[in-house]
């Protein structure tokens, strides 16, 4: 089942305990971010309200006792988009209450067969697959209707092999 617009928002906001993302694309090409990415690449200062709508949503989830997190997969050297995320995006998301970890696969294979696929898992029971073009443009979101057991195992592996964002930026090697 395709999830778009309001249906995606309702599905996302309906989670009761945990929302967790496996994030692997080297670049996300999102029209709403294009100006900020360009500003970052020109060396401009981050606007004070950068990503404020997402931060408000995360704070709202956390305030109601829900958790939200992700593991960000990277390979060295980081792409320009990943450098933008690390400098302008992730720190504010963490400050808002999101648990973000980094899994660097530059030198090691971690036995994760979905290293090219992004997905969210809600309450360890509902998986939404995120599909992208090679340039990072999202194609669609699909509600997965099969057995979620492999996703739970991949989540467990990703969490156990990743490090906190803070630890990663202190020592990426």
């Amino acid at each position: 089942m395709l999830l778009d617009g309001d249906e995606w928002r309702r599905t996302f906001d309906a989670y009761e305990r945990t929302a967790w993302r496996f994030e692997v694309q080297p670049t996300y090409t999102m029209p709403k971010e294009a100006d900020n990415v360009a500003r970052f690449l020109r060396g401009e200062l981050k606007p004070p309200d950068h990503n404020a709508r997402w931060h408000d949503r995360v704070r709202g989830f956390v305030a109601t006792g829900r958790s939200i997190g992700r593991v960000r997969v990277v390979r060295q050297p980081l792409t320009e988009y990943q450098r933008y995320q690390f400098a302008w995006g992730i720190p504010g998301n963490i400050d808002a209450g999101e648990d973000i970890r980094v899994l660097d696969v530059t030198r090691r294979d971690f036995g994760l067969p979905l290293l090219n696929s992004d997905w969210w898992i809600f309450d360890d029971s509902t998986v939404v697959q995120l599909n992208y073009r090679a340039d990072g443009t999202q194609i669609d979101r699909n509600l997965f209707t099969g057995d979620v057991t492999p996703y739970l195992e991949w989540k467990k592996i990703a969490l156990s092999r990743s490090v906190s964002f803070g630890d990663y930026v202190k020592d990426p090697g």
Side-chain angles (χ1 to χ4, degrees):
M1 172 179 159
L2 289 176
L3 296 174
D4 209 3
D6 290 340
E7 187 63 31
W8 166 237
R9 178 78 179 237
R10 279 191 295 276
T11 299
F12 196 107
D13 290 348
Y15 84 91
E16 296 177 359
R17 294 175 314 282
T18 61
W20 187 83
R21 181 171 177 175
F22 190 64
E23 188 173 55
V24 302
Q25 303 307 309
T27 298
Y28 294 94
T29 305
M30 299 186 295
K32 291 180 181 180
E33 281 190 328
D35 287 341
N36 280 327
V37 173
R39 286 184 188 113
F40 167 78
L41 293 174
R42 288 192 301 266
E44 296 179 18
L45 295 176
K46 178 173 75 170
D49 64 344
H50 181 264
N51 220 8
R53 288 180 58 198
W54 177 248
H55 298 159
D56 288 344
R57 287 185 72 201
V58 169
R59 281 189 210 72
F61 298 142
V62 172
T64 60
R66 298 180 282 175
S67 68
I68 184 164
R70 67 183 75 207
V71 166
R72 178 63 169 111
V73 175
V74 298
R75 288 177 182 82
Q76 292 291 335
L78 297 178
T79 65
E80 289 180 339
Y81 184 84
Q82 289 167 336
R83 290 188 305 106
Y84 158 74
Q85 275 188 318
F86 277 43
W88 281 26
I90 292 173
N93 293 3
I94 291 170
D95 288 345
E98 191 173 352
D99 176 34
I100 301 178
R101 300 179 62 79
V102 178
L103 178 63
D104 190 325
V105 297
T106 304
R107 294 180 188 92
R108 295 182 16 200
D109 174 6
F110 289 96
L112 291 165
L114 289 181
L115 278 178
N116 295 317
S117 301
D118 282 46
W119 43 277
W120 280 97
I121 187 165
F122 301 100
D123 299 323
D124 288 340
S125 62
T126 302
V127 173
V128 176
Q129 299 166 324
L130 310 173
N131 301 302
Y132 293 87
R133 292 187 180 92
D135 72 351
T137 303
Q138 190 173 70
I139 300 167
D140 59 23
R141 297 176 205 93
N142 293 299
L143 184 62
F144 178 72
T145 58
D147 179 11
V148 301
T149 304
Y151 288 91
L152 292 171
E153 184 61 26
W154 298 325
K155 176 183 173 184
K156 181 178 163 186
I157 293 168
L159 286 168
S160 70
R161 306 267 167 79
S162 60
V163 298
S164 73
F165 175 76
D167 286 347
Y168 185 78
V169 296
K170 284 182 207 167
D171 183 20

